[in-house]
Amino acid sequence: MIHVFVCPGCRAVRLVSRYRSASCLVCGTAMVPSEIPYLRWTELDEEERRRAAERQAEKARRTC
């Protein structure tokens, strides 16, 4: 299964297939899993993905 992760620091997105956790390849911060499953993520256009990543990053920052 493929998982979508979002970096709460720089908002980078990473798709991971083997692991349940990921660190950001851009800034090294621990990434948080996206609330949007991979199949739905692939249906989003670029702008929708950017907005979804921003929302997820903001949510992760508020809970930390």
Side-chain angles (χ1 to χ4, degrees):
M1 177 172 233
I2 299 174
H3 304 281
V4 180
F5 288 90
V6 178
C7 177
C10 68
R11 296 184 178 116
V13 175
R14 185 174 174 191
L15 304 177
V16 179
S17 63
R18 290 183 157 190
Y19 305 106
R20 292 284 219 177
S21 62
S23 59
C24 181
L25 298 175
V26 176
C27 69
T29 303
M31 300 181 93
V32 294
S34 174
E35 295 176 344
I36 300 173
Y38 173 73
L39 288 177
R40 173 71 178 113
W41 187 266
T42 61
E43 296 170 352
L44 301 176
D45 64 29
E46 187 175 341
E47 180 62 24
E48 290 172 320
R49 290 179 185 176
R50 185 189 62 75
R51 285 190 307 241
E54 286 180 7
R55 280 192 309 269
Q56 188 69 37
E58 286 300 317
K59 186 175 183 179
R61 275 191 242 151
R62 283 192 303 250
T63 60
C64 291

